[in-house]
Amino acid sequence: MTGRFAPSPSGRMHLGNVFTALISWLSAKKSGGRWILRVEDLDPQRSRMEYARQIEDDLLWLGLDWDEGGIGGKGSNGPYLQSERGNVYEEALRRLTETGLTYPCYCTRADIMATQAPHETDGRVVYAGTCRPRNLGETERRAVDAMSSARSGMADETRRERATRLFVPDEEIRFNDRLYGAQSVNLARHCGDFVLRRADGAWAYQLAVVVDDALMGVKEVVRGSDLLLSSAQQIYLYRLLGLEPPEFAHVPLLCNSSVQRLSKRDRSMSMEELRKDYTPSHLIGYMAYVAGILPEPFPISAEGLLPLFSWSALRDASSINLD
Ligand code: GLU
């Protein structure tokens, strides 16, 4: 099953990313599938090529080699740097616009914060729909098209910068996560109409990740559990674009105490520190132990772990307290 690792090159890898990369690599390889390395450098302010190179170096040091992608762009589904895929996102946005479910948004961050009802959320920003044209919904597509172009035409005269948002329905999106089980997310309550393209022109992660995973033939998405609920936004996009969603497997985030157990000292989780203190096989062995794949932490290579890996071994790990 084709899998992928999709790091944002905004810093050095830390133990959490390494854990995700390892599980994703093991799962893809074990099933005889390809493992793709995609560089998620959508945010021009935070992304640096130097970090992307460092991530590649850290993966190779760990023995996690990719079959496709990376900076060198190995494979036929590239480019593998999101910063070079603008035309692909443009086409997807065009198709979404045709559904009549997108609209321009002129809200500033301050506008959005001012309409928040903090007691209803856990700190997430839920867009209140300030710029949503009235009557936006699947049955009013035509009316909306006319309305939104009139609206954007008018507003363009005074405010040039605008984001593009996507209408979300007030309904439950259901999916199954391999580790976290059945999920049900109401997008209207979870995030509200979400951004596809920012006012500064940057593409939103949600759009890019869906388009890329689909076009690159990814069948299994393994990533940190902080992104579990955003899968619902992605499933909604898959649906609108007529694409088949992959399987999702979110893995627990390794936090400070996991590292302290590893280092017995209060050390950084960064690979810069970890590489000074450990060999790749010590690190892999420790992570495999935390994941429940090994009964105790002993040195082992990623390759050596393959025969021992199974999702059912890992499933137990989701109940380990990693905080
Ligand atoms: N680029 C994201 C990150 O580095 C991961 C996105 C994903 O795997 O879908 O956290």
Side-chain angles (χ1 to χ4, degrees), residues 301-315:
S301 67
E303 197 75 36
L305 259 187
L306 272 175
L308 305 173
F309 174 80
S310 75
W311 279 100
S312 49
L314 198 73
R315 196 165 288 127

Side-chain angles (χ1 to χ4, degrees), residues 38-195:
R38 183 172 69 237
V39 180
E40 299 212 324
D41 57 347
L42 280 181
D43 188 336
Q45 262 104 52
R46 299 181 59 223
S47 306
R48 289 213 218 119
M49 216 41 194
E50 172 197 332
Y51 288 131
R53 277 192 285 270
Q54 198 71 65
I55 289 168
E56 289 199 342
D57 191 64
D58 287 337
L59 290 172
L60 293 174
W61 180 83
L62 288 156
L64 304 178
D65 51 333
W66 52 98
D67 306 295
E68 202 180 304
I71 301 167
K74 199 183 342 171
S76 54
N77 296 304
Y80 297 90
L81 269 61
Q82 288 189 324
S83 58
E84 297 175 2
R85 296 178 61 80
N87 55 341
V88 179
Y89 308 140
E90 196 82 59
E91 169 60 16
L93 181 61
R94 193 189 60 71
R95 285 173 55 200
L96 291 168
T97 305
E98 275 173 13
T99 66
L101 298 174
T102 64
Y103 62 88
C105 171
Y106 300 91
C107 291
T108 60
R109 188 148 188 90
D111 295 335
I112 294 169
M113 297 320 281
T115 55
Q116 286 297 293
H119 57 280
E120 286 177 5
T121 74
D122 51 11
R124 280 177 287 112
V125 176
V126 180
Y127 184 60
T130 315
C131 288
R132 181 197 277 195
R134 269 185 292 150
N135 304 327
L136 185 60
E138 299 205 41
T139 50
E140 285 91 10
R141 283 181 195 168
R142 279 168 193 278
V144 164
D145 280 348
M147 208 188 306
S148 66
S149 48
R151 198 186 157 95
S152 60
M154 254 175 355
D156 271 349
E157 287 167 22
T158 47
R159 299 170 76 173
R160 285 180 42 229
E161 302 226 316
R162 57 182 205 174
T164 303
R165 284 188 186 269
L166 179 67
F167 166 91
V168 301
D170 185 7
E171 72 178 52
E172 298 293 316
I173 304 271
R174 295 195 165 81
F175 65 99
N176 198 54
D177 182 84
R178 202 174 276 167
L179 284 182
Y180 287 85
Q183 305 293 318
S184 180
V185 179
N186 180 306
L187 292 180
R189 283 203 299 274
H190 175 69
C191 57
D193 296 349
F194 60 88
V195 169

Side-chain angles (χ1 to χ4, degrees), residues 4 6-8 38 40 205 209 213 221-223 226-227 234:
R4 51 54 158 197
S8 305
R38 183 172 69 237
E40 299 212 324
Y205 158 71
V209 75
D213 282 337
V221 165
V222 178
R223 62 187 170 199
D226 52 333
L227 290 167
Q234 293 162 28

Side-chain angles (χ1 to χ4, degrees), residues 15 34 43 45 92 117 191 206 212 225 255 260 263 279 295 300:
L15 198 68
R34 290 172 299 134
D43 188 336
Q45 262 104 52
C191 57
Q206 304 294 356
D212 289 351
S225 59
C255 304
Q260 276 157 17
S263 65
T279 64
I300 189 165

